[in-house]
Amino acid sequence: MRTTDAGEGWTVMDLATATIADLLRMVKSVLEVPPDDGVAAWDARTAFVRTIGLALDRRGLDGDSLIRHGLADLFQAPILGSVAVSLLSEAQVPGLDRLEVDPDLNVQGWRDAMKLQGPRVNFSEAMSHALYLTQGWVTFAPLETLVRMQPVASEELDQWARSVDESSRAAAATYRWAVLRLVEPNLENWDSTSLRKEYRHTVMAVDAELPASLIAEASLDKDELAHAVARKSLTEDEVRVQAGWNDVREAVVKQAKMLLRQGRCAEAAALFEFLLGQAPADSWLRNNFAFCLITTRPGDAYVFLRDAQRLSYKPISLLLYNRACCAGTETQKREVLFDANRHWLEDLESVPVPAFIWRRPANAPYDFQTAETLDVRADLGIIAASLATELGDMDRADIWQKRVAELGAIAS
């Protein structure tokens, strides 16, 4: 998506009547993809974000804080991801030496500001330092500087980073939670702090300490929330032990998602391949690496997805859907159908599973496109019916179609 196109499309909308969630989704979609038309496009992007901020201010909200803290990852991820790509390419890591840095960002300027120069930069330490610096940048830099993703003097970057204290972290966490509950339906993409805040507010009736108008616009399913909190708590000990690396990993993952949306699958896959070298038993990374290979190397993707399943990747509906997307041989298709049928009968997730997936458009059945789904369980049922049809098992295809219909009836 090009920022100027988005801006032109929204000039006809009456911002006074748009919901708070609509306003945040608008600015989120603009920030997700940097413009590629030069100065004019960056100016349009900045003006649009400023307009949305003023519209939020008129609702009695702090538009600046909602945008800078609630969407902080959209400012940090392009910077951290591009710096990571630059470092890996410079280090000539096998398979990553031809990665391209984002031409729309002043990556060299950021590396100068972060003092990340020289042939012997330790990647993990460098990225942890970059994360520390960009947190201060997000907290204190003028919003226009964030929107334009401009590097600043290294002294200023250092000062901002040192000035981040517990009160500013707490405020940032609250705004992040407020925005997530309005624009991110997939609780798997929430951080543990936001999940805990939501649980305390929704289940324990703890005061949200946010304007009522902001809280009133969203409500989450309590069962789905409890499942997400439980799943997140199972990994908290590991995350605490590897806090620095996990933060870096998350930033690089967000960059990979941007690359996928731009069709740069090989580069996204290379990033995940490097991360797997740091954590080879991580089933989540293995699934995501395979996801990047589905459109170009489906046979390899299938193998990595089988490995991720062996390592107990969750949610299993998403993994099985990914396996179905790259199942090319008759044997693979029958394997997927067998596993999907067993999963559906024995341990199907009890709540919807939102996900970022590949999907074949009806008008282009041989061309995958990225998509956001509200429930990958339904997508699994649909693709299972399609595989059964390809195998000539019409009875089985009919069973899967009925299952999808039943799932829809339960959801309604």
Side-chain angles (χ1 to χ4, degrees):
M1 178 190 301
R2 296 161 77 94
T3 301
T4 49
D5 294 341
E8 290 165 4
W10 287 323
T11 54
V12 298
M13 176 174 284
D14 184 358
L15 297 183
T17 59
T19 66
I20 295 170
D22 284 338
L23 293 173
L24 290 169
R25 279 192 288 265
M26 288 179 202
V27 74
K28 178 176 181 288
S29 65
V30 165
L31 293 174
E32 282 179 330
V33 182
D36 55 6
D37 290 344
V39 175
W42 284 95
D43 289 344
R45 166 187 168 107
T46 304
F48 184 77
V49 173
R50 188 185 303 116
T51 298
I52 297 298
L54 291 173
L56 291 167
D57 288 342
R58 286 192 287 271
R59 308 297 176 85
L61 305 172
D62 185 343
D64 182 290
S65 294
L66 279 171
I67 293 171
R68 79 165 59 237
H69 296 305
L71 300 174
D73 62 299
L74 297 181
F75 300 122
Q76 283 184 284
I79 307 303
L80 294 173
S82 294
V83 168
V85 168
S86 174
L87 290 171
L88 294 172
S89 179
E90 185 177 274
Q92 298 184 331
V93 176
L96 298 176
D97 51 333
R98 283 184 259 176
L99 283 174
E100 296 180 5
V101 298
D102 193 327
D104 300 310
L105 296 178
N106 182 1
V107 181
Q108 187 58 52
W110 274 106
R111 288 188 57 180
D112 289 341
M114 295 173 176
K115 300 178 181 177
L116 299 180
Q117 301 300 340
R120 296 180 181 273
V121 173
N122 179 283
F123 178 80
S124 182
E125 291 179 2
M127 292 307 299
S128 294
H129 183 62
L131 178 68
Y132 161 74
L133 292 173
T134 53
Q135 286 172 341
W137 176 71
V138 167
T139 302
F140 296 108
L143 185 60
E144 180 173 328
T145 299
L146 300 183
V147 176
R148 293 178 180 273
M149 293 188 281
Q150 295 173 331
V152 297
S154 58
E155 295 78 12
E156 196 167 26
L157 204 57
D158 288 337
Q159 178 60 44
W160 285 338
R162 289 195 300 270
S163 299
V164 175
D165 56 19
E166 287 305 314
S167 63
S168 57
R169 291 190 187 95
T174 298
Y175 282 114
R176 182 171 62 249
W177 164 53
V179 172
L180 279 172
R181 69 195 311 272
L182 291 174
V183 305
E184 179 51 80
N186 187 356
L187 293 177
E188 296 297 322
N189 292 332
W190 286 35
D191 59 281
S192 57
T193 300
S194 296
L195 284 172
R196 287 194 294 269
K197 284 180 176 291
E198 183 65 34
Y199 189 85
R200 286 195 293 266
H201 171 67
T202 302
V203 178
M204 303 173 66
V206 174
D207 183 12
E209 299 181 347
L210 286 168
S213 60
L214 194 61
I215 289 297
E217 282 210 23
S219 60
L220 300 177
D221 182 270
K222 292 183 179 180
D223 289 338
E224 182 180 356
L225 176 61
H227 278 81
V229 172
R231 286 193 294 268
K232 188 69 72 171
S233 67
L234 291 175
T235 61
E236 278 195 339
D237 288 341
E238 177 187 348
V239 170
R240 276 194 292 269
V241 171
Q242 301 180 2
W245 175 247
N246 276 274
D247 284 339
V248 172
R249 185 184 73 168
E250 289 293 332
V252 177
V253 165
K254 291 180 187 299
Q255 175 73 2
K257 193 172 180 180
M258 292 181 188
L259 291 172
L260 288 171
R261 283 185 169 132
Q262 297 169 12
R264 297 160 67 182
C265 300
E267 292 168 71
L271 285 174
F272 281 118
E273 189 170 21
F274 174 79
L275 293 174
L276 271 173
Q278 312 299 309
D282 190 318
S283 63
W284 182 63
L285 283 175
R286 197 164 287 269
N287 171 78
N288 285 323
F289 174 53
F291 180 81
C292 298
L293 302 179
I294 286 175
T295 62
T296 56
R297 293 161 51 191
D300 292 337
Y302 191 86
V303 172
F304 278 101
L305 288 167
R306 287 292 302 272
D307 289 343
Q309 187 170 345
R310 176 179 54 80
L311 293 168
S312 302
Y313 174 83
K314 302 291 182 182
I316 189 65
S317 286
L318 176 58
L319 185 139
L320 290 172
Y321 176 81
N322 287 337
R323 276 182 62 194
C325 285
C326 58
T329 68
E330 180 175 331
T331 298
Q332 290 175 342
K333 293 175 182 178
R334 292 192 183 280
E335 285 178 348
V336 172
L337 285 175
F338 177 82
D339 285 352
N341 185 65
R342 184 174 61 183
H343 170 61
W344 205 277
L345 295 175
E346 296 178 1
D347 58 356
L348 183 69
E349 294 86 355
S350 60
V351 295
V353 181
F356 182 69
I357 63 172
W358 290 113
R359 186 179 283 156
R360 287 188 175 99
N363 61 348
Y366 301 104
D367 182 27
F368 279 109
Q369 293 181 1
T370 58
E372 299 278 358
T373 180
L374 295 177
D375 192 357
V376 77
R377 299 176 304 169
D379 293 274
L380 173 61
I382 292 169
I383 200 169
S386 177
L387 291 181
T389 300
E390 291 175 17
L391 294 171
D393 191 342
M394 304 312 296
D395 290 338
R396 182 63 60 185
D398 185 56
I399 289 173
W400 279 108
Q401 289 167 355
K402 290 178 179 177
R403 286 172 172 172
V404 174
E406 290 170 358
L407 195 64
I410 293 172
S412 62

